[in-house]
Amino acid sequence: MSASVFLSSSAAVPTFHELSSDEQGALASLGRRLAADPVTEPAAFCRQARLLTPQLPTTLLEKLWAFEERGSDSGVLVLRGLDTGELPATPVDNTGGVGGRTLLARQQAVVSHALGHMVGYAAEGHGHLLQDMVPNPKLAATQQSQGSKVELEAHTEQCFSALRPDYVVLGCLRGDSQAATYAFRGLDLAAHFDPSDLMELYRPLWTTLVDESFADYLDTREVRGPFPILSGDPDDPTLLVDQDLMHGITKRAQALLERVLEVYVAHRHAVVLQPGDVLLLDNLRAMHGRSSFAPRFDGTDRFISRGFVVRDLRRSRFARPGGERVVQASFS
């Protein structure tokens, strides 16, 4: 491996990386070598993916590690041009873990392990490592990943939980020209506030409820916090936001939250995912959302394989009985 694997520049990396033909071929070959089943053999699937990760092309590893170290200019990194392989019909719900068995999802897993360790969450997509993020007619108007009729509002993934993922990874099997994925960095947010208000954003002035997708496991009326919206280094802040679940504990705090959301809508980055895209979202540095769209429910709708990555696997060990890969919801 080249001695120059780490890029020397301190600048954030660009949002898009178009795979070269060599990178595309090498990544597809690695995906085909990942033989374990992600639904029935999640631990073996992760071990195999992690063993394959060092064999990624050096150019791609450089890009991924730079994204881990410095983030990107939008909060996401999109790898464009992966081989999707043969595709099944888009399922009508997320019960089957269908997308995780595709060639694209297997490549997604190899890439994901360059940033950390894949985990599942019992309350998310039936605990699958790779969840089918598809429009569900029964959930069309909800603030859940299977919604479509309404915009998925700005949020940090699992903002209410200390075991939230560090990265959210979306592999696009089928796209929809109407469905834009939004992202906005905490660093860019901070630039829109004067010093006095910015100082307030670093204070613990906001509480959050538990997401409705956890309703079978946790009391969604439970109030958690208070938390700050921004924290950490002002030059590389961590961001915590949820438009649907978060509330300010003072009038000023609530007004600041509303302004945060106004800035997000005015300045967010939009990516319309294409088949063969893998989008990596930095869940610490950026909030995200998705536009509404109009599915047909005919087997050809938008089909995303979603995975979660944590940098430190040991941190959630107590919440994964037996050392398995699924974080139990009661610990979230």
Side-chain angles (χ1 to χ4, degrees), residues 291-306:
S291 69
S292 61
F293 62 103
R296 299 167 297 276
F297 304 113
D298 62 356
T300 66
D301 284 322
R302 186 175 188 260
F303 189 1
I304 304 295
S305 170
R306 181 179 67 176

Side-chain angles (χ1 to χ4, degrees), residues 111-174:
V111 166
S112 293
H113 280 87
L115 298 176
H117 305 265
M118 289 182 66
V119 294
Y121 291 87
E124 299 277 12
H126 302 275
H128 296 153
L129 278 176
L130 291 155
Q131 305 112 43
D132 295 337
M133 214 162 72
V134 296
N136 183 330
K138 297 179 181 179
L139 299 173
T142 67
Q143 286 295 313
Q144 296 188 42
S145 62
Q146 296 182 83
S148 57
K149 185 179 291 187
V150 297
E151 178 172 322
L152 186 61
E153 296 173 340
H155 64 289
T156 299
E157 197 71 30
Q158 296 183 31
C159 78
F160 56 88
S161 174
L163 298 180
R164 70 182 69 92
D166 295 311
Y167 298 97
V168 179
V169 185
L170 308 179
C172 182
L173 296 161
R174 288 193 181 89

Side-chain angles (χ1 to χ4, degrees), residues 185-191 198-199 202 230-238:
R185 297 188 302 172
L187 182 62
D188 296 325
L189 174 69
L198 186 58
M199 188 178 298
Y202 276 85
L230 294 176
S231 58
D233 188 340
D235 292 328
D236 188 18
T238 295

Side-chain angles (χ1 to χ4, degrees), residues 31-199:
R32 293 187 181 97
R33 289 167 58 189
L34 210 178
D37 187 287
V39 177
T40 61
E41 305 171 286
F45 183 85
C46 289
R47 283 196 300 271
Q48 289 181 17
R50 196 172 186 217
L51 285 169
L52 291 169
T53 294
Q55 300 177 49
L56 286 167
T58 299
T59 51
L60 190 53
L61 278 173
E62 284 185 319
K63 184 69 66 172
L64 292 165
W65 289 347
F67 176 63
E68 177 190 20
E69 181 184 15
R70 303 191 299 274
S72 75
D73 55 15
S74 65
V76 303
L77 172 63
V78 180
L79 307 181
R80 177 152 285 175
L82 283 78
D83 185 348
T84 61
E86 186 176 345
L87 298 182
T90 301
V92 296
D93 59 36
N94 68 352
T95 58
V98 175
R101 295 184 169 113
T102 63
L103 175 61
L104 179 70
R106 292 173 186 277
Q107 296 171 81
Q108 173 183 341
V110 177
V111 166
S112 293
H113 280 87
L115 298 176
H117 305 265
M118 289 182 66
V119 294
Y121 291 87
E124 299 277 12
H126 302 275
H128 296 153
L129 278 176
L130 291 155
Q131 305 112 43
D132 295 337
M133 214 162 72
V134 296
N136 183 330
K138 297 179 181 179
L139 299 173
T142 67
Q143 286 295 313
Q144 296 188 42
S145 62
Q146 296 182 83
S148 57
K149 185 179 291 187
V150 297
E151 178 172 322
L152 186 61
E153 296 173 340
H155 64 289
T156 299
E157 197 71 30
Q158 296 183 31
C159 78
F160 56 88
S161 174
L163 298 180
R164 70 182 69 92
D166 295 311
Y167 298 97
V168 179
V169 185
L170 308 179
C172 182
L173 296 161
R174 288 193 181 89
D176 188 305
S177 61
Q178 299 176 0
T181 299
Y182 300 126
F184 191 57
R185 297 188 302 172
L187 182 62
D188 296 325
L189 174 69
H192 291 274
F193 288 82
D194 64 36
S196 175
D197 286 341
L198 186 58
M199 188 178 298

Side-chain angles (χ1 to χ4, degrees), residues 237-279:
T238 295
L239 178 67
L240 192 68
V241 169
D242 195 297
Q243 184 172 352
D244 185 44
L245 303 177
M246 185 175 277
H247 302 278
I249 63 174
T250 68
K251 289 184 178 179
R252 184 181 181 188
Q254 184 60 29
L256 282 172
L257 175 58
E258 291 168 5
R259 188 169 165 219
V260 164
L261 299 171
E262 290 172 358
V263 171
Y264 161 79
V265 170
H267 300 281
R268 62 195 177 187
H269 296 260
V271 175
V272 177
L273 292 175
Q274 303 175 9
D277 284 354
V278 170
L279 180 149

